[in-house]
Amino acid sequence: SSFSHHSQTMTLTTLNPNRIELNLLVLTVATAETDGFSRFLRSAKLFNYTVKVLGRGEEWQGGDYMAPGGGQRIRLLKAALEEMKEEQEKTILFIDSYDVVFASGPKELLKKFQQSGHRVVFSSETLIWPDRHLEDKYPHVREGNRFLGAGGFIGYLPNVKTMVADWTGEDHDSDQLFFTNIYINPEKRKSINITLDSRCRLFQNLNGALDEVVLKFEDSRVRARNVLYDTLPVIVHGNGPTKLQVNYLGNYIPKVWTFETGCTECHQNLRPLTGIQSEFPQVTIGVFIQQPTPFLAVFFERLLNLQYPKNRLKLFIYNQVRVIKQVDSFLEGHGGLYQDVKVVGPEGADTDSISSDLCRQDKQCKYFFSVDSEVVLKNKDTLKILIEQNLPIVAPMITRPGRLWSNFWGALSADGFYARSEDYVDIVQGRRVGVWNVPYISSVYLVKGDVLRSGIPDYDLFSSDTQDADMAFCTSVRSKGVFLYVTNMHTFGRILSVENYQTKHLHNDLWQIFENPVDFEERYIHPNYSLIMKNKLIETPCPDVYWFPMFSEVACDHFVQEMEHFGQWSGGGAVDKRIQGGYENVPTIDIHMNQVGYEKEWHKLLLDYVAPITEKLFPGYYTKCESNLNFVVRYKPDEQPLLRPHHDASTFTINVALNTKDVDYQGGGCRFIRYNCSVEAPRKGWSLMHPGRLTHYHEGLPTTGGVRYIAVSFIDP
């Protein structure tokens, strides 16, 4: 906090030329310095309000917003006022702070107060609380809200003193009822000279008024506007169950984010990570593998590549999937780099809690970083960026490519599930960039160790009868007054689709071209494929024979291993029941893609990665890549070393080398007889493309050692 415990008054103002404003003192009760309290102070400081905080360090006995209470506030207010000298013109603003933001400054507030023509003005509400039976005693108003809200009032010191002088209640008694009884008593109302701010010119209570309040973007600042009364309230109060709505408004008001400036607070109060790496804060990383997840090997590569000293990291891996070779190979290769590693299998207890407890119980643990296995963290600096943001709980925004799905919700429905906030799409699509206070985050987030130890010390944060672990966690955290943030200040990565992940193959990720096309491409398409056109990477080793990079090394290895794992190689005879007509003129020893259930995926590969190149190389020819012959061929000296001269039953053929000459095999290659031209050292992952009929009569040259594999497609037969 920006002030010391000794001085109960913070003067957030320098000498102000305007005498009237110096006469305004803001009083608020805050027994704990919550995130909401800090937000309140930031907005007060921006407008140079003078704030005095009451009750600091006291135990709160006044109940919560769900039940009547708050008497403690009046006791503290009364005591503070008794210490003040009588000044006729001194103005007191008494408001809540945890769920309040200032939208404008003292000048406007005092002007509107004076225009009211009364000595005390209370905020107003559409709903009567806590005693509905008092409704008839309330005076009628010409326009606006009829009922009093105790969460905020402004008045001259003598009148406010008089108003609270009779308080003798308990801390848990209702402040709302106390002030209501004064207001509905005509004599007291008149002698103290009280009115309500019925049209919300000074105070906007959100409870019962959510449909009336919108954001109004002005030049480099943001106001709340009440559209029902066309007013611009100075103070916005998320009273009762409207905490999430004031959090939403507080992402903008008063100048947190504007169209002109973008985010103004995102670079304040940072914690720069500089200096010696051995002194970096210690982090416990919880990795959660809750279901079979594609590209898990890549996930662990990314975890390894996080830019953070490994000796300051403890790893906790929760693996709910029985056998995972990726976890074992990661730990064998790299586990020793980390300060500590724990793995819990499916029989482990409530592991969400275990992992956060590992941090909670370890005084050295400064942060807990939770990450689910379906998270694709592309940004190596993610952990550093989140730590530097210096927030209690912060998630890096990740999305699903081409979808509006992300790992945060901008709002909640009445039953606590997803609702779309007005700014959700703009945040997800990066049109509004900042750090956002939101009701729900999931999949990947950072929690301060101190927050786990003191702010949210409950051990059952993740358990709930009605909600999943993430929802239960967010609900628990918010109920403790701790804010959840998501940042889209950087690009962090994306999230995989895991719903339809099949695990019946050896390399299941090969089947992910439909579900997770971006990840498929990164893993399996040659890293230079995207540069083919730009950098003119297509070579012409023989007339009308084109040669270009297509598959990554990993793709080649996975295709070969998948086929060998399947193992049902054809005999290489002319009779072949797998093809139309049942006869193959020039047989090879091969396995067809449809035998391993890969025909749809292979067709998509051809459409996405071969068709665009065909259309560039053969202008005016458009292809849908129709093909009923897609197969992997195996050449071995003692099995089938070569292939005699032949034409292909295709308009054009592609032939991709799946392994490396002079490493995996000797000899081999392809000779085009009409041109007496050979491609003798095909590069692994590169594809040959050539016409199939008429001009390109060709043969497979003898493989003299090792085993050679190629993938072949006869396209547009």
Side-chain angles (χ1 to χ4, degrees):
S1 151
S2 53
F3 43 89
S4 74
H5 281 256
H6 311 298
S7 135
Q8 288 288 294
T9 311
M10 296 163 307
T11 303
L12 297 171
T13 156
T14 44
L15 259 178
N16 196 314
N18 195 329
R19 184 79 200 118
I20 305 178
E21 293 178 41
L22 283 179
N23 259 343
L24 174 69
L25 176 64
V26 181
L27 294 177
T28 189
V29 172
T31 54
E33 292 183 20
T34 62
D35 296 337
F37 179 67
S38 306
R39 171 181 61 194
F40 166 80
L41 281 189
R42 286 196 299 274
S43 72
K45 189 174 179 183
L46 187 75
F47 294 115
N48 287 333
Y49 281 98
T50 305
V51 177
K52 182 171 181 177
V53 181
L54 311 177
R56 176 161 288 145
E58 263 196 31
E59 181 85 16
W60 177 250
Q61 306 286 353
D64 68 11
Y65 70 83
M66 302 299 280
Q72 190 169 354
R73 295 170 66 241
I74 308 183
R75 169 173 66 74
L76 290 163
L77 171 64
K78 184 179 173 182
L81 294 176
E82 282 166 359
E83 290 173 15
M84 290 184 194
K85 298 199 298 288
E86 283 284 344
E87 289 179 50
Q88 288 303 316
E89 293 309 307
K90 182 141 193 102
T91 311
I92 300 295
L93 171 66
F94 187 57
I95 43 171
D96 289 356
S97 54
Y98 296 165
D99 49 10
V100 168
V101 283
F102 284 106
S104 188
K107 201 172 195 161
E108 181 180 335
L109 179 72
L110 288 165
K111 184 179 168 193
K112 286 178 170 175
F113 170 47
Q114 284 153 4
Q115 286 168 347
S116 76
H118 288 73
R119 303 283 296 175
V120 176
V121 178
F122 268 90
S123 73
S124 67
E125 299 213 32
T126 52
L127 311 167
I128 183 167
W129 197 76
D131 185 351
R132 289 209 316 278
H133 302 102
L134 298 175
E135 180 169 351
D136 296 344
K137 300 211 166 82
Y138 265 97
H140 284 275
V141 293
R142 255 212 324 272
E143 183 192 15
N145 301 330
R146 191 174 153 203
F147 306 113
L148 172 144
F153 63 79
I154 185 170
Y156 291 110
L157 176 60
N159 305 67
V160 176
K161 252 187 183 173
T162 306
M163 185 168 69
V164 297
D166 296 342
W167 172 259
T168 55
E170 299 291 328
D171 280 1
H172 55 78
D173 288 345
S174 170
D175 56 346
Q176 177 87 12
L177 197 56
F178 174 75
F179 288 126
T180 297
N181 283 325
I182 292 174
Y183 177 69
I184 60 177
N185 176 321
E187 286 75 40
K188 286 187 177 172
R189 185 167 71 242
K190 191 171 179 196
S191 67
I192 301 170
N193 195 356
I194 307 173
T195 189
L196 299 187
D197 176 34
S198 293
R199 293 177 54 245
C200 308
R201 297 180 72 233
L202 293 86
F203 304 96
Q204 177 68 62
N205 287 318
L206 294 176
N207 197 15
L210 292 175
D211 297 339
E212 299 167 17
V213 182
V214 298
L215 288 168
K216 178 175 190 285
F217 290 93
E218 296 180 351
D219 191 20
S220 297
R221 64 180 286 191
V222 189
R223 300 285 305 246
R225 173 165 172 247
N226 184 308
V227 291
L228 189 59
Y229 306 121
D230 196 21
T231 51
L232 297 172
V234 178
I235 291 152
V236 182
H237 179 202
N239 59 321
T242 62
K243 308 295 173 231
L244 299 186
Q245 285 78 9
V246 81
N247 289 353
Y248 169 76
L249 298 172
N251 282 327
Y252 296 93
I253 299 168
K255 293 184 182 182
V256 180
W257 191 97
T258 75
F259 283 107
E260 293 77 16
T261 61
C263 180
T264 60
E265 290 187 357
C266 295
H267 301 291
Q268 292 173 9
N269 195 28
L270 297 182
R271 171 198 178 143
L273 279 178
T274 49
I276 316 163
Q277 294 223 330
S278 60
E279 289 169 12
F280 272 32
Q282 186 184 299
V283 182
T284 297
I285 299 184
V287 171
F288 296 91
I289 307 167
Q290 316 250 22
Q291 69 258 50
T293 309
F295 305 107
L296 201 56
V298 187
F299 171 86
F300 281 111
E301 279 169 32
R302 294 211 164 93
L303 186 65
L304 188 67
N305 289 334
L306 274 183
Q307 296 295 304
Y308 204 84
K310 304 273 182 290
N311 60 356
R312 306 299 294 146
L313 297 176
K314 289 187 173 182
L315 274 191
F316 171 89
I317 299 173
Y318 167 46
N319 177 6
Q320 223 179 349
V321 183
R322 293 223 164 259
V323 193
I324 292 200
K325 55 181 186 288
Q326 293 95 328
V327 177
D328 297 338
S329 67
F330 168 71
L331 292 177
E332 274 165 34
H334 312 288
L337 299 171
Y338 294 90
Q339 192 187 112
D340 188 30
V341 179
K342 273 193 180 59
V343 182
V344 172
E347 52 296 324
D350 177 11
T351 38
D352 288 304
S353 299
I354 297 175
S355 55
S356 56
D357 289 350
L358 284 178
C359 180
R360 188 182 273 133
Q361 291 156 6
D362 175 2
K363 291 282 186 285
Q364 297 305 306
C365 176
K366 298 295 181 242
Y367 294 91
F368 171 60
F369 184 50
S370 176
V371 55
D372 293 351
S373 57
E374 58 266 34
V375 171
V376 180
L377 273 189
K378 296 273 291 175
N379 191 329
K380 293 185 172 117
D381 292 316
T382 300
L383 186 51
K384 278 189 180 152
I385 290 165
L386 297 181
I387 289 173
E388 291 187 331
Q389 211 54 66
N390 199 19
L391 292 165
I393 302 180
V394 59
M397 184 185 81
I398 51 172
T399 56
R400 227 169 238 171
R403 303 264 302 278
L404 281 174
W405 192 97
S406 76
N407 64 324
F408 80 95
W409 297 346
L412 296 187
S413 60
D415 53 2
F417 286 86
Y418 170 82
R420 181 177 288 182
S421 61
E422 219 171 301
D423 55 3
Y424 178 78
V425 175
D426 280 348
I427 293 172
V428 170
Q429 296 183 339
R431 284 189 293 276
R432 296 186 189 181
V433 173
V435 177
W436 311 93
N437 181 341
V438 295
Y440 172 87
I441 55 174
S442 67
S443 308
V444 52
Y445 51 83
L446 183 79
V447 187
K448 278 188 178 175
D450 288 346
V451 171
L452 283 173
R453 284 184 280 274
S454 57
I456 45 173
D458 292 17
Y459 280 72
D460 56 352
L461 279 179
F462 294 90
S463 54
S464 156
D465 299 336
T466 54
Q467 299 179 315
D468 69 26
D470 281 328
M471 285 171 69
F473 170 72
C474 294
T475 307
S476 313
V477 164
R478 289 197 321 269
S479 69
K480 300 279 186 297
V482 176
F483 288 167
L484 302 158
Y485 293 92
V486 66
T487 170
N488 65 342
M489 300 279 287
H490 301 79
T491 305
F492 294 103
R494 55 182 181 268
I495 191 150
L496 294 169
S497 165
V498 292
E499 288 74 32
N500 304 316
Y501 188 49
Q502 300 293 320
T503 55
K504 54 181 187 270
H505 307 283
L506 177 68
H507 293 296
N508 300 292
D509 297 351
L510 280 171
W511 274 259
Q512 285 292 298
I513 188 166
F514 292 103
E515 286 291 315
N516 291 295
V518 179
D519 298 85
F520 179 92
E521 179 169 310
E522 281 187 4
R523 183 111 171 110
Y524 289 132
I525 299 303
H526 196 287
N528 289 340
Y529 177 86
S530 58
L531 305 171
I532 286 177
M533 299 305 175
K534 203 166 82 189
N535 296 359
K536 305 196 171 53
L537 294 183
I538 299 178
E539 298 178 20
T540 318
C542 299
D544 281 326
V545 175
Y546 297 100
W547 201 17
F548 58 90
M550 183 159 160
F551 287 146
S552 68
E553 292 255 342
V554 175
C556 296
D557 296 345
H558 284 194
F559 276 120
V560 169
Q561 290 160 11
E562 196 64 51
M563 294 305 176
E564 287 294 1
H565 177 70
F566 178 70
Q568 296 174 31
W569 295 94
S570 65
V575 176
D576 189 344
K577 294 200 175 78
R578 298 170 305 169
I579 58 174
Q580 232 174 347
Y583 180 81
E584 169 58 76
N585 192 14
V586 189
T588 49
I589 288 180
D590 55 40
I591 294 173
H592 288 196
M593 294 297 179
N594 61 10
Q595 287 177 269
V596 294
Y598 203 72
E599 67 276 32
K600 288 211 304 288
E601 289 75 10
W602 186 260
H603 184 235
K604 174 102 171 114
L605 259 171
L606 298 178
L607 277 178
D608 288 358
Y609 299 103
V610 174
I613 289 179
T614 311
E615 291 168 11
K616 274 275 191 299
L617 297 177
F618 299 103
Y621 182 75
Y622 297 101
T623 176
K624 292 200 169 75
C625 289
E626 299 301 341
S627 171
N628 49 14
L629 273 180
N630 308 294
F631 50 96
V632 170
V633 181
R634 180 170 80 182
Y635 290 114
K636 273 167 133 172
D638 57 350
E639 194 177 68
Q640 178 182 5
L642 54 85
L643 195 57
R644 62 186 172 79
H646 63 284
H647 281 300
D648 292 341
S650 71
T651 303
F652 70 96
T653 295
I654 63 157
N655 163 348
V656 190
L658 296 180
N659 56 355
T660 306
K661 180 167 175 154
D662 295 335
V663 176
D664 303 308
Y665 65 90
Q666 286 75 46
C670 182
R671 175 166 169 263
F672 295 93
I673 292 156
R674 177 184 164 97
Y675 307 105
N676 191 21
C677 175
S678 298
V679 181
E680 284 185 14
R683 298 172 198 146
K684 184 176 178 179
W686 281 57
S687 174
L688 287 172
M689 178 193 286
H690 59 82
R693 297 189 185 85
L694 198 62
T695 52
H696 284 62
Y697 193 55
H698 59 285
E699 64 181 328
L701 299 172
T703 297
T704 56
V707 189
R708 175 182 176 222
Y709 298 92
I710 57 173
V712 177
S713 271
F714 293 172
I715 298 173
D716 298 342

